[in-house]
Amino acid sequence: MNIYEDLLTTHNMVLFQGGLGGNFVSYLISIHSLNLPLGDPSTGLAYNEYSMSSACNSADDPYCNSHQDKSYILERHLNLFFQKKHWIETDEGDYKSKYAVSRYHDAFQAYKDTHIIVITIDPTDSDLIVFLSKIMNVKTFYNDEPNGRADISLKHFKKQQQVYVDSMLHYKWFVSRAKKKNINVLEVDYRKLFIERDATVVSEMLNFIKYGNSNFDLDKVCDSIADYHNNNMTVVHEFNNIIEK
């Protein structure tokens, strides 16, 4: 008996930890490499949030995010592979899920023909982890505000830093195992993509896409990444102002 939710099929996937810009990357790829006729992806300008489902719902082409029985591109957090059909919520507001080797095998089998981009960070890059934890704290607050499960505080901020370190080990393991199984996987370093905007990294990512094209304007793509990063800087500034008060 399968206790997990079904794994959604897709030709391309962006796999990322919360706060690492995976939804934005998915949108960027859709516009510049897949040439999908997407609408406005922004759901929360105040905290730099993007939504592919929002972009697709407002597009003229009803199949903008599908290709036969598979989507063109899917954005996912690794823990969603382990999402049970019936979630159990703990007192802390977190969802109970455990990484299991058997489920990893299910994922590798389901995505053996998928091109997978995995956004990672160096777990020892303390400055970057602090930066991302501030962003995640603000995003979690705005996303969960109606439920009253989070607030913008040093407590959640410090907890988030450890979450990044612990979870990233699973993402790194996923990459290494996928490569051993000859799955098309590309590891993209967050710092090189968003902060340094390394042209080689950006080009490799867009050229990696299944059914994509190489006619994108690299300068335009890098400008979009720069705008996204600058908006993240604004989010960090908001966090600092709230904490200082």
Side-chain angles (χ1 to χ4, degrees):
M1 178 179 174
N2 182 21
I3 64 172
Y4 297 104
E5 294 284 357
D6 293 337
L7 293 166
L8 301 177
T9 55
T10 182
H11 291 295
N12 299 287
M13 178 186 294
V14 179
L15 192 63
F16 67 107
Q17 206 171 342
L20 266 62
N23 289 295
F24 169 75
V25 168
S26 185
Y27 179 77
L28 195 75
I29 289 169
S30 298
I31 292 296
H32 294 284
S33 183
L34 292 170
N35 298 127
L36 300 182
L38 299 185
D40 185 3
S42 301
T43 62
L45 292 177
Y47 49 105
N48 206 22
E49 191 77 10
Y50 281 71
S51 169
M52 281 294 289
S53 59
S54 173
C56 264
N57 289 337
S58 58
D60 293 331
D61 183 355
Y63 302 104
C64 69
N65 201 32
S66 65
H67 181 73
Q68 297 178 356
D69 61 336
K70 294 183 178 181
S71 66
Y72 277 121
I73 188 165
L74 183 69
E75 54 284 344
R76 271 290 178 268
H77 300 316
L78 184 58
N79 66 290
L80 292 180
F81 293 169
F82 304 87
Q83 182 173 345
K84 296 179 181 179
K85 291 181 179 178
H86 301 286
W87 285 78
I88 301 172
E89 194 169 5
T90 66
D91 293 336
E92 291 79 22
D94 298 323
Y95 291 110
K96 225 174 180 180
S97 63
K98 293 183 178 179
Y99 293 100
V101 173
S102 60
R103 185 58 171 173
Y104 269 117
H105 289 319
D106 292 342
F108 289 135
Q109 179 60 31
Y111 298 122
K112 66 182 188 303
D113 297 320
T114 300
H115 288 212
I116 307 173
I117 291 172
V118 185
I119 303 175
T120 63
I121 60 174
D122 178 353
T124 66
D125 190 341
S126 56
D127 289 342
L128 179 59
I129 290 174
V130 166
F131 173 79
L132 292 171
S133 296
K134 289 180 179 181
I135 294 170
M136 193 61 182
N137 198 173
V138 175
K139 288 191 174 186
T140 300
F141 170 74
Y142 279 111
N143 287 329
D144 287 349
E145 187 179 15
N147 304 315
R149 289 207 305 247
D151 59 4
I152 298 176
S153 66
L154 287 174
K155 175 184 174 182
H156 288 96
F157 160 62
K158 291 177 180 178
K159 182 179 179 181
Q160 181 61 45
Q161 292 179 64
Q162 191 58 47
V163 169
Y164 272 122
V165 174
D166 294 341
S167 297
M168 190 48 57
L169 298 177
H170 289 282
Y171 283 82
K172 293 282 189 179
W173 188 87
F174 180 91
V175 170
S176 66
R177 293 302 300 174
K179 287 181 177 179
K180 288 182 179 179
K181 291 181 178 293
N182 295 317
I183 294 174
N184 291 302
V185 61
L186 176 67
E187 183 176 5
V188 176
D189 180 78
Y190 182 96
R191 180 176 285 281
K192 289 184 178 296
L193 177 62
F194 285 103
I195 299 176
E196 298 175 6
R197 292 181 284 284
D198 187 308
T200 300
V201 171
V202 176
S203 294
E204 184 180 21
M205 182 180 73
L206 292 179
N207 283 317
F208 176 77
I209 296 302
K210 192 175 184 180
Y211 298 121
N213 70 81
S214 58
N215 297 322
F216 53 83
D217 185 330
L218 182 59
D219 289 336
K220 189 174 181 178
V221 174
C222 288
D223 286 344
S224 295
I225 296 173
D227 288 341
Y228 179 84
H229 179 66
N230 289 334
N231 288 336
N232 267 345
M233 294 294 290
T234 301
V235 174
V236 169
H237 183 67
E238 178 181 355
F239 175 90
N240 292 338
N241 284 341
I242 292 172
I243 293 301
E244 289 173 1
K245 292 178 181 177

